[in-house]
Amino acid sequence: MRRRRLLRIAVILPAACLLALGSWLGGAAAVYSPAYVWRVLRWRDSDVGDYLHHFPHRELADSLDPYYFEEAHHEARVEEVFETILDTDDLASFLAENDSQSFIVIKNDRVIYERYFNGWRRDSMVTSFSVAKSFVSTLVGIAIDEGYIASVDDPITAYLPELAERDALFGRITIRHLLTMSSGLGYHADGWYLFNGDDPLTTYYPDQREISLTNIGIEEAPGQRFRYNKYHPQLLGMILERATGMSVTEWTQTRLWSRIGMEFDGAWCLDSNESGFEKMEAGINARAIDFAKLGRLFLQGGRWNGEQVVSESWVETATGTDPAGQAPAFADDSFYGYMWWGVPRSGHPPDFIAEGDHGQYIYVSPANDLIIVRTGTEYGIEPEGWVDAFSRAAAEL
């Protein structure tokens, strides 16, 4: 009897757990799309492979007039500087052991160090993560320069009127607030329920237009404080679509990619084939040497070989310490411009960084005419360690 009772329990408990799990997943699929539930469970935390292999994409064609950096390799000097800063006796081994894909240093428009690791090559596609946000802000700047968007101080409801229908207070939020991450919109990276955190929703939901318009809510007045929010680039992407009448990929291709001499093709990841909306927060893919060209554009004040691609005033404001017309977002040694991170440099213009999860960086030092690109499958070291190393090396190289 006792053995049969234990046997029944052994059968019933797993069955009950499976039934509860099935009910839970069924409830999740009823609230959210089955595709979203599947992505969260299957892909879990986003990684490099998601953007390179899982998401559908739209292609960006290489430029008809590609730009090639001159080469003046000074590997020994770069190695000497970084080995001292990173406390290693072999820079290449350090980079390989710390999950790097690429490491490029460009000084005075010349490549002085370019190495690839762990099976990656010069023509290997790498992904951006939040480096994409610096591309997004640049695309907005170009749209303002060309008159498609009137001003950074336009209310977002001028382009997204359905938000005003939900709540008139959305009309107080401007494009500038989105660019500076100071909109007052709520953002809760992890929810109480596996599927309702804003991080998984902005990463895996297969209709980013829908979720961005319906899932955001106002929690405080705009302009009060910095709060990192991945709905912001999504909203900016919709504003670009509606203002220009083009997909984000087409706008990128015609206004930026082709004009700054991209040597290779690239791609914008999409939320899904059905929705066809670019993953504005993290989904632009390119080769590392082409990522360096966004840095060069900004290093040159928005000019590219004599052509003004984005206005100099935009570059200054986007990478400056006070883009919101108020105190910088941080009291320490960093700030946030128009989707560029910044590091003050005493007596000189600040250095600025396009920075993405897992250790993607485009680091620009105007005072030292220097660009550093590092991409990786993981950070390898603390994120602050990379930024500190880049800042110190820029002053020495």
Side-chain angles (χ1 to χ4, degrees):
M1 287 277 290
R2 186 167 178 269
R3 191 172 299 160
R4 284 199 298 272
R5 191 178 300 117
L6 289 173
L7 182 60
R8 282 199 300 271
I9 292 172
V11 171
I12 291 168
L13 276 179
C17 290
L18 286 172
L19 185 62
L21 177 61
S23 177
W24 180 67
L25 292 176
V31 175
Y32 301 108
S33 74
Y36 169 66
V37 173
W38 185 91
R39 286 175 172 184
V40 172
L41 294 175
R42 180 69 178 85
W43 297 349
R44 293 172 290 180
D45 290 340
S46 62
D47 57 34
V48 166
D50 293 336
Y51 290 90
L52 293 179
H53 307 300
H54 292 159
F55 288 106
H57 65 271
R58 282 198 185 101
E59 291 187 1
L60 290 158
D62 55 319
S63 174
L64 295 176
D65 184 22
Y67 177 81
Y68 302 98
F69 289 99
E70 293 183 26
E71 295 187 6
H73 290 281
H74 298 297
E75 288 91 347
R77 176 58 181 156
V78 173
E79 290 166 352
E80 177 188 8
V81 168
F82 274 101
E83 285 168 1
T84 300
I85 293 169
L86 295 169
D87 191 24
T88 180
D89 57 6
D90 187 333
L91 177 61
S93 294
F94 178 91
L95 293 169
E97 291 165 5
N98 284 283
D99 304 307
S100 299
Q101 299 164 317
S102 64
F103 197 81
I104 304 170
V105 183
I106 299 167
K107 172 79 173 179
N108 298 326
D109 239 7
R110 295 176 173 84
V111 175
I112 62 173
Y113 187 92
E114 181 179 2
R115 293 286 297 272
Y116 300 89
F117 310 94
N118 298 312
W120 301 84
R121 307 179 308 183
R122 192 173 193 271
D123 62 354
S124 296
M125 188 86 84
V126 294
T127 197
S128 63
F129 287 92
S130 288
V131 166
K133 295 179 177 67
S134 301
F135 277 87
V136 171
S137 75
T138 305
L139 296 172
V140 171
I142 295 170
I144 290 173
D145 289 341
E146 294 193 19
Y148 287 92
I149 296 172
S151 167
V152 291
D153 295 314
D154 282 359
I156 63 173
T157 50
Y159 305 90
L160 306 171
E162 53 267 64
L163 290 176
E165 295 172 5
R166 283 185 54 206
D167 188 335
L169 291 178
F170 279 111
R172 299 172 60 189
I173 301 171
T174 67
I175 291 172
R176 189 193 301 269
H177 291 136
L178 299 183
L179 291 166
T180 56
M181 298 284 182
S182 61
S183 68
L185 295 173
Y187 191 87
H188 304 279
D190 301 307
W192 61 269
Y193 183 47
L194 176 63
F195 302 102
N196 72 340
D198 289 317
D199 264 2
L201 283 167
T202 54
T203 301
Y204 291 136
Y205 199 78
D207 188 339
Q208 287 296 310
R209 295 185 190 89
E210 177 193 356
I211 203 67
S212 297
L213 290 171
T214 61
N215 203 55
I216 57 174
I218 298 168
E219 291 193 353
E220 61 187 14
Q224 299 301 303
R225 67 184 177 106
F226 174 91
R227 187 178 188 181
Y228 200 78
N229 187 321
K230 288 163 59 179
Y231 289 114
H232 290 177
Q234 320 288 48
L235 296 172
L236 289 169
M238 284 186 280
I239 290 170
L240 281 170
E241 283 185 327
R242 296 183 184 188
T244 67
M246 300 182 189
S247 71
V248 171
T249 301
E250 185 179 0
W251 185 253
T252 305
Q253 181 76 66
T254 58
R255 272 26 183 218
L256 187 62
W257 204 266
S258 295
R259 297 169 75 185
I260 63 174
M262 295 304 203
E263 180 181 349
F264 296 98
D265 59 355
W268 267 111
C269 291
L270 305 176
D271 53 3
S272 65
N273 284 318
E274 293 74 22
S275 170
F277 183 53
E278 287 80 359
K279 287 188 58 59
M280 306 299 298
E281 87 293 354
I284 193 166
N285 302 328
R287 274 67 174 186
I289 194 66
D290 281 337
F291 276 138
K293 291 168 187 174
L294 182 68
R296 182 180 187 264
L297 176 68
F298 273 66
L299 189 59
Q300 301 289 334
R303 292 180 300 279
W304 191 269
N305 296 345
E307 180 188 6
Q308 198 75 43
V309 175
V310 63
S311 65
E312 186 172 8
S313 62
W314 180 270
V315 171
E316 291 174 354
T317 306
T319 61
T321 58
D322 198 11
Q326 57 190 28
F330 302 99
D332 60 10
D333 290 335
S334 65
F335 62 89
Y336 196 78
Y338 287 168
M339 296 188 167
W340 289 88
W341 296 93
V343 179
R345 194 171 281 281
S346 181
H348 298 283
D351 294 355
F352 48 90
I353 319 162
E355 182 175 344
D357 199 9
H358 301 289
Q360 326 309 317
Y361 296 96
I362 305 171
Y363 188 98
V364 183
S365 180
N368 299 288
D369 201 2
L370 189 89
I371 304 165
I372 301 171
V373 173
R374 187 268 179 183
T375 67
T377 54
E378 292 293 346
Y379 283 103
I381 64 174
E382 289 297 317
E384 297 79 7
W386 286 118
V387 174
D388 178 67
F390 298 154
S391 177
R392 291 169 60 188
E396 296 185 37
L397 287 170

